[in-house]
Amino acid sequence: MRSLTFDELFAMLSAAALSAADLTRLREWIASIADPAECIALIEQAAAGRPCPHCGCTRKHRCGQASGLQRFRCLNCRRTCNALTGTPLARLRKKERWLPYLQCVLESRTVRDAARVVGVHRTTSFRWRHRFVPGAMRDRPESLSAIVEADETYRLESQKGSRTLSRRPRKRGGVARRRGISREHDCLLVACDRNGNTLDFHTGRGPVTVAQLDRCLRPALPTDVLLVSDGAVAYRRFAAQAGITHQWVNVQAGERARGAIHVQNVNGWHSRFKSWLVRFRGVASRYLINYSGWLRLLDARRLITPAHLLCAAAKSG
Ligand SMILES: [Zn+2]
């Protein structure tokens, strides 16, 4: 049978009565067609002038092309590299689909949904999520200032996707064996200032400790900040030890705020995070920080286009 020309196909499509669902499919498909050259140009631009990822030498010469990218040979260690060597995106294929995929990241689509929209397999969609998101989420504020709220949220530890469990499987999903916060819970620590800067940390399992607060918060808190938290003892000890002014709200006794002293912004973040996560139907503990980093990126609204995300992810770590 003779194959249809584009004009014939287009005429048929324009004559067809398209339902709302058909139109959505068609729009998504068209939006997913991208020019691979655009993606390559952005990657090369993000890496321009980068030293050799193997030895740090800045002297390198061009040495052919590979996977659509310029390849370089280092004049010092003689090894080759391209713009993505040493980044989370190294060796990922199908670059023509990356920008449409990153649009799905901006839209918080599920693995399955993004796979359908972009036209890749679900396992590819999953792999890409956990390469692009950690790459892009390195775009984070270095420090917080003025009034800083800090609080943790706990999620039941999850081994979703693991082939072998390190414990007996839970019956009926998410119920801890003990009451309260225990080693069965992942702790996600979030700190934010009143200028819209947010930092997130997966501190490990169980209640947050002074040492963990010190390791996570100390580098991000100048000594002139005012730290606000709930009444947990760990914060008081950490603040005393770090020489940081600290105020706490007695949340357990029903106290909400004393003027500017409250943790409502960070608590708001936690509750948004919880409702945003629902669509993913449970996330594995080892990816928890990727999800909080993802929401943090969306919230910060600094990277708002697929190109922004790509450039951030293509920067070396
Ligand atoms: Zn080198």
Side-chain angles (χ1 to χ4, degrees), residues 147-181:
I147 301 179
V148 174
E149 301 175 27
D151 199 9
E152 338 84 79
T153 187
Y154 294 91
R155 297 186 59 81
L156 196 57
E157 163 270 339
S158 160
Q159 298 184 24
K160 183 181 177 184
S162 298
R163 298 221 170 114
T164 50
L165 291 182
S166 64
R167 54 162 163 76
R168 286 172 51 198
R170 291 190 194 106
K171 286 187 182 153
R172 290 181 209 90
V175 184
R177 280 182 299 173
R178 274 178 255 172
R179 286 207 291 174
I181 304 302

Side-chain angles (χ1 to χ4, degrees), residues 43 50 53-54 67 69 81-93 95 98 127-128 131-132 135 138 310 313-316:
I43 296 168
R50 183 186 296 171
H54 309 292
S67 318
L69 293 171
C81 66
N82 66 31
L84 294 177
T85 306
T87 77
L89 311 186
R91 288 189 290 277
L92 294 186
R93 299 151 75 126
K95 295 188 183 63
W98 287 11
R127 184 177 331 117
W128 285 8
R131 296 289 187 88
F132 284 116
R138 289 175 303 183
L310 178 64
K315 285 204 178 105
S316 62

Side-chain angles (χ1 to χ4, degrees), residues 52 54-57 74 76-78:
C52 166
H54 309 292
C55 74
C57 175
C74 172
N76 181 42
C77 70
R78 308 299 300 162

